[in-house]
């Protein structure tokens, strides 16, 4: 059988798969799951616009929640239109890199800004000895939680939002010129493979900065369900990168086997995107639960408590002033009576 490693056009693909009931059913399931994921995002938008009144926090939350329908839709597009696979993966990867940076900024905003966050962590230390890069680096010591240390952490995350889109843009240019394809990601005879190495190193540094932020803030932000938010983002990052690498490696090894002249790498890519759609649906459910908290209520409760305290203090002062006024009037009456008695005796 003459199996092609190139991604087929829609005309060729649907002609070959028109008699394959299993593939058609799985494709229909993909479409339904993607629509549900998009529907969940629309419902989350409604909730946020009605319960989250802080514009900056609401915007960051929406951008993070949009990750799951975007990745799911890009994966569905790669299944329905195989020749768009590279474009869909580039869009998903670029948006994910921005979400990592947005997440760190959202954590800082939960404290009310960087200044209030630093006040909250006065005289505390931040540990840089964490995964995935430095978990065994015992030479790394803890550093004071200062503006400088937070600048380093934000720099670790910011670099992926700048470097990764630039690298993927270069790879897309090479792809359009026929010098790069998905099957050549680990072929080191091709210069594009070295761009992938830099891209991987940049992603690991971003994960490192994300882990430092999470480990330092998870206890103080327990009421914000920070662990669940971190798991939903970290899980997406892991599955999009590691799962894609594993399925690509299996495809080049001939797993799954060639079918209907569709080569193993193409079929492996379709399996990867099918799994991603299912995983994004599950992560969107987790994120919906994690972000579905009216976080401004916590602030309002504290403000109400402070207002009640102030009201009580004001009432106490007023009460004291009132009693003081009565005492003053009684003293005035006593002085007047004493003066009248003195005049009588005289």
């Amino acid at each position: 059988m003459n199996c092609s490693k190139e991604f087929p056009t829609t005309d060729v693909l649907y002609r070959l798969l028109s008699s394959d009931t299993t593939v058609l059913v799985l494709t229909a399931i993909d479409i339904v799951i993607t629509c549900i994921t998009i529907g969940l995002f629309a419902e989350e938008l409604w909730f946020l616009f009605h319960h989250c009144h802080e514009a900056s926090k609401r915007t960051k939350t929406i951008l993070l929640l949009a990750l799951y329908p975007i990745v799911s839709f890009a994966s569905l597009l790669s299944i329905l239109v195989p020749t768009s696979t590279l474009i869909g993966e580039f869009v998903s990867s670029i948006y994910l890199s921005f979400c990592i940076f947005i997440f760190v900024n959202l954590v800082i905003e939960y404290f009310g800004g960087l200044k209030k966050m630093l006040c909250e962590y006065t005289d505390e230390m931040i540990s840089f000895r964490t995964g995935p890069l430095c978990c065994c680096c015992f030479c790394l010591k803890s550093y004071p939680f200062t503006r400088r240390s937070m600048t380093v952490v934000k720099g670790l995350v910011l670099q992926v939002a700048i470097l990764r889109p630039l690298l993927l843009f270069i790879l897309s240019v090479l792809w359009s010129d026929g010098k790069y394809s998905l099957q050549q990601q680990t072929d080191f005879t091709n210069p594009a493979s070295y761009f992938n190495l830099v891209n991987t190193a940049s992603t690991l540094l971003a994960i490192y900065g994300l882990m430092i932020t999470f480990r330092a803030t998870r206890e103080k932000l327990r009421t914000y369900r920070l662990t669940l938010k971190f798991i939903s983002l970290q899980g997406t990052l892991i599955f999009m990168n590691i799962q894609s690498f594993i399925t690509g490696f299996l495809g080049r090894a001939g797993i799954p086997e060639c079918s209907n002249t569709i080569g193993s790498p193409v079929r492996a890519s379709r399996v990867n995107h099918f799994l991603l759609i299912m995983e994004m649906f599950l992560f969107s459910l987790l994120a919906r639960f994690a972000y579905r908290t009216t976080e401004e209520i916590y602030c309002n409760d504290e403000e109400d408590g402070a207002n009640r305290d102030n009201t009580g203090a004001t009432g106490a002062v007023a009460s004291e002033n009132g009693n003081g006024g009565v005492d003053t009037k009684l003293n005035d009456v006593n002085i007047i009576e004493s003066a009248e008695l003195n005049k009588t005796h005289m």
Side-chain angles (χ1 to χ4, degrees), residues 19 27 75 120-121 191 203 213:
S19 59
T27 303
S75 297
E120 187 73 21
Y121 284 91
T203 303
T213 305

Short mmCIF file of all heavy atoms in Angstrom, two decimals, residues 19 27 75 120-121 191 203 213:
data_model
loop_
_atom_site.label_atom_id
_atom_site.label_comp_id
_atom_site.label_asym_id
_atom_site.label_seq_id
_atom_site.Cartn_x
_atom_site.Cartn_y
_atom_site.Cartn_z
N SER A 19 -16.41 5.82 3.80
CA SER A 19 -16.95 4.49 4.13
C SER A 19 -16.49 3.99 5.50
O SER A 19 -16.84 2.88 5.90
CB SER A 19 -16.53 3.47 3.06
OG SER A 19 -15.11 3.41 2.96
N THR A 27 -15.49 11.71 14.57
CA THR A 27 -15.48 13.11 14.12
C THR A 27 -16.72 13.85 14.61
O THR A 27 -16.64 15.01 15.05
CB THR A 27 -15.38 13.18 12.59
OG1 THR A 27 -14.21 12.48 12.15
CG2 THR A 27 -15.31 14.62 12.13
N SER A 75 -7.90 22.22 17.31
CA SER A 75 -7.73 20.78 17.13
C SER A 75 -8.80 20.21 16.21
O SER A 75 -8.53 19.35 15.36
CB SER A 75 -7.77 20.07 18.49
OG SER A 75 -6.71 20.49 19.31
N GLU A 120 2.43 42.01 51.90
CA GLU A 120 1.92 40.77 52.48
C GLU A 120 3.04 39.78 52.79
O GLU A 120 2.94 38.99 53.72
CB GLU A 120 0.91 40.15 51.51
CG GLU A 120 0.17 38.95 52.05
CD GLU A 120 -0.88 39.31 53.08
OE1 GLU A 120 -1.31 40.48 53.09
OE2 GLU A 120 -1.26 38.43 53.86
N TYR A 121 4.10 39.85 51.98
CA TYR A 121 5.21 38.91 52.15
C TYR A 121 6.44 39.57 52.78
O TYR A 121 7.57 39.15 52.52
CB TYR A 121 5.59 38.30 50.80
CG TYR A 121 4.62 37.24 50.33
CD1 TYR A 121 3.54 37.58 49.53
CD2 TYR A 121 4.80 35.92 50.69
CE1 TYR A 121 2.65 36.61 49.09
CE2 TYR A 121 3.92 34.94 50.24
CZ TYR A 121 2.84 35.30 49.45
OH TYR A 121 1.96 34.33 49.03
N PRO A 191 17.64 22.55 9.90
CA PRO A 191 17.86 23.69 10.82
C PRO A 191 16.65 24.03 11.68
O PRO A 191 16.79 24.57 12.77
CB PRO A 191 18.21 24.84 9.87
CG PRO A 191 18.66 24.19 8.61
CD PRO A 191 17.90 22.92 8.51
N THR A 203 9.96 27.31 26.91
CA THR A 203 8.76 26.81 27.60
C THR A 203 9.10 26.30 28.99
O THR A 203 8.36 26.55 29.95
CB THR A 203 8.11 25.69 26.77
OG1 THR A 203 7.80 26.18 25.45
CG2 THR A 203 6.83 25.21 27.42
N THR A 213 5.93 30.94 41.30
CA THR A 213 4.81 31.80 41.70
C THR A 213 3.75 31.00 42.44
O THR A 213 3.24 31.42 43.48
CB THR A 213 4.19 32.46 40.46
OG1 THR A 213 5.20 33.17 39.74
CG2 THR A 213 3.08 33.42 40.86
#
